Amino acid sequence: MNLEEITLLCRQATEELINIAKLSPGDLLVVGCSSSEVLGERIGTNSSTDVAGAILEGILPVCREHEIFLAAQCCEHLNRALILERQAALARGLELVNVVPQPKAGGSFATAFYNACQKPAAVEHIRAQAGMDIGDTLIGMHLADVAVPVRLSMRRIGQANLVCARTRPKFIGGQRAHYDQQLL
């Protein structure tokens, strides 16, 4: 699979996820990505800035078109911290931490996004409305409490598994409760 194909698949996956998850302007989309897995290697063994750039080229323009804030999950070497635009972090009252991701300490995707941000910021925790996991990077800790699996038309980006989720508000009440169908 070449870089152009990776970019196109990522653009398509992002569009599908935004539509299925019914994301609204200002929502957060967390993306965890292993460029090694996309290349068919074990996570963390063959980090590629070119692959990360192609993935970001597919995802970021779609997020910007829909006014969705992207949050890039770093690897476990940075405790899965997240990179996002400073404006998005401050608007949510998130505590900033001081770290600059690198391909081998944070991951190529987080590094590419950090470099693409107007004013990058790093935080430790978010509660995103949707997530995209490219290569089994375990993004669940960064989703709001009730995550719902989303099946896209594709299951892989390159050789990496693609798993997506949206979130919904918690159901409260008992058997007599009624729910807003628009929020399911």
Side-chain angles (χ1 to χ4, degrees):
M1 177 167 287
N2 66 41
L3 297 177
E4 292 82 23
E5 291 173 311
I6 291 170
T7 297
L8 288 174
L9 281 174
C10 289
R11 180 172 184 80
Q12 180 183 344
T14 306
E15 285 283 1
E16 284 184 33
L17 180 57
I18 287 171
N19 290 328
I20 292 168
K22 299 177 186 167
L23 296 182
S24 299
D27 282 347
L28 280 172
L29 170 63
V30 62
V31 175
C33 175
S34 169
S35 58
S36 300
E37 290 280 336
V38 172
L39 292 169
E41 303 292 331
R42 192 172 53 84
I43 193 168
T45 62
N46 192 20
S47 191
S48 169
T49 56
D50 290 339
V51 169
I55 291 166
L56 185 64
E57 190 178 321
I59 295 171
L60 187 55
V62 177
C63 288
R64 288 182 173 158
E65 288 167 21
H66 291 274
E67 299 177 35
I68 304 298
F69 287 110
L70 177 61
Q73 177 183 267
C74 296
C75 73
E76 73 277 7
H77 296 103
L78 297 185
N79 299 329
R80 303 207 190 283
L82 300 128
I83 305 302
L84 65 163
E85 288 285 357
R86 183 177 178 86
Q87 148 194 10
L90 295 178
R92 287 169 175 73
L94 301 174
E95 182 178 355
L96 303 182
V97 295
N98 187 358
V99 71
V100 177
Q102 304 297 309
K104 294 287 186 182
S108 291
F109 181 73
T111 302
F113 183 53
Y114 184 94
N115 293 329
C117 285
Q118 293 175 351
K119 291 186 179 179
V123 301
E124 288 186 288
H125 307 285
I126 62 169
R127 308 299 281 164
Q129 287 71 47
M132 183 181 298
D133 186 326
I134 304 169
D136 304 319
T137 63
L138 304 174
I139 61 164
M141 68 186 82
H142 300 304
L143 294 171
D145 284 344
V146 184
V148 179
V150 171
R151 303 283 185 249
L152 301 183
S153 64
M154 72 215 56
R155 300 217 175 200
R156 292 190 169 285
I157 302 290
Q159 297 299 309
N161 293 325
L162 174 64
V163 178
C164 295
R166 66 176 178 85
T167 62
R168 64 161 175 77
K170 294 178 184 181
F171 293 150
I172 62 168
Q175 62 187 8
R176 296 183 202 170
H178 294 265
Y179 302 105
D180 182 342
Q181 297 299 308
Q182 297 298 321
L183 298 177
L184 303 180

